[in-house]
Amino acid sequence: MKNGILTAVIAIVVVLAVIAMFIFGSYNGLVSSEENVNSKWSQIENQLQRRADLIPNLVSTVKGYAAHEESIFTEVTRAREKLIGAGSVAEKAQADAELTSALSRLLAIVENYPNLKADANFRQLADELAGTENRIAVARMDYNNAVQAYNSRIRRFPTVIIAGMFGFEKKDYFQAEQGAKEAPKVDFSIQK
């Protein structure tokens, strides 16, 4: 009888240990996944900030050639400030779309000023902006991939139970606003 009780106690302890290891492993995996999403979001913010830092120089350069285009400069500045002040993923995505739209209008103005297109400072800023746009696109893709992996993980059984117990919630994707799927067509080539 003592052996039967001892065996039952050992079996219960083993089962509890396995359950505890599962809970700890699932929790730690969820923490790692969530931190990966946060890291990827941080990279988007880093690149958006880099773009926001380039914009005043670009506006100043264009202003020197197209001073009478004041409304577009105001629009770009307002959109930049909105992006910097945005907090949530959805707010950042909306502000980013507005800034992208304003920038495309600003860059379209350049077509009317051949001397501006030939300006070395403008060309350097345009190249930096194009590179930053590419980095933003890569950072968005990396973030959305991390969100997809995290969201899938917290919805799978039995991890969904652990996620619910510890308050892990679904993350939002960084989605383009409607109309933002088509890139503006801007040509900076110098025409002779």
Side-chain angles (χ1 to χ4, degrees):
M1 179 112 153
K2 284 186 176 182
N3 282 342
I5 294 175
L6 182 59
T7 304
V9 168
I10 291 174
I12 291 172
V13 168
V14 168
V15 167
L16 290 176
V18 168
I19 290 171
M21 287 185 343
F22 169 75
I23 290 172
F24 291 141
S26 293
Y27 178 82
N28 289 336
L30 289 170
V31 168
S32 294
S33 291
E34 187 174 45
E35 284 304 311
N36 187 40
V37 169
N38 293 340
S39 171
K40 301 298 183 188
W41 176 247
S42 158
Q43 287 305 310
I44 290 176
E45 287 186 322
N46 181 30
Q47 295 307 321
L48 291 175
Q49 183 62 51
R50 183 179 193 287
R51 182 175 63 175
D53 291 345
L54 286 171
I55 289 171
N57 294 330
L58 184 66
V59 168
S60 294
T61 302
V62 174
K63 245 185 196 180
Y65 288 88
H68 62 281
E69 307 278 1
E70 192 61 40
S71 65
I72 191 65
F73 302 131
T74 303
E75 187 178 339
V76 169
T77 302
R78 189 177 64 246
R80 177 183 177 266
E81 289 169 358
K82 187 173 180 180
L83 178 65
I84 291 171
S88 71
V89 173
E91 289 173 352
K92 287 269 188 196
Q94 180 183 15
D96 176 58
E98 287 178 26
L99 182 57
T100 299
S101 176
L103 277 176
S104 68
R105 286 192 289 286
L106 174 70
L107 295 176
I109 289 173
V110 172
E111 290 301 310
N112 299 325
Y113 301 93
N115 291 339
L116 174 58
K117 291 193 301 187
D119 183 79
N121 189 34
F122 174 77
R123 283 195 319 253
Q124 178 187 359
L125 287 168
D127 287 345
E128 286 185 42
L129 186 60
T132 300
E133 292 297 333
N134 289 336
R135 287 186 202 99
I136 290 170
V138 169
R140 284 179 189 151
M141 182 185 66
D142 291 345
Y143 171 77
N144 282 340
N145 288 340
V147 167
Q148 187 268 333
Y150 171 80
N151 286 347
S152 294
R153 186 173 197 158
I154 66 168
R155 293 178 61 205
R156 277 190 232 129
F157 185 80
T159 309
V160 67
I161 297 167
I162 307 304
M165 284 175 24
F166 292 105
F168 289 94
E169 295 179 355
K170 183 179 176 196
K171 301 287 184 182
D172 293 330
Y173 288 96
F174 194 113
Q175 296 179 347
E177 292 290 313
Q178 286 204 338
K181 293 180 180 175
E182 291 184 29
K185 294 181 180 28
V186 179
D187 179 16
F188 291 121
S189 61
I190 299 173
Q191 299 174 358
K192 294 182 182 180

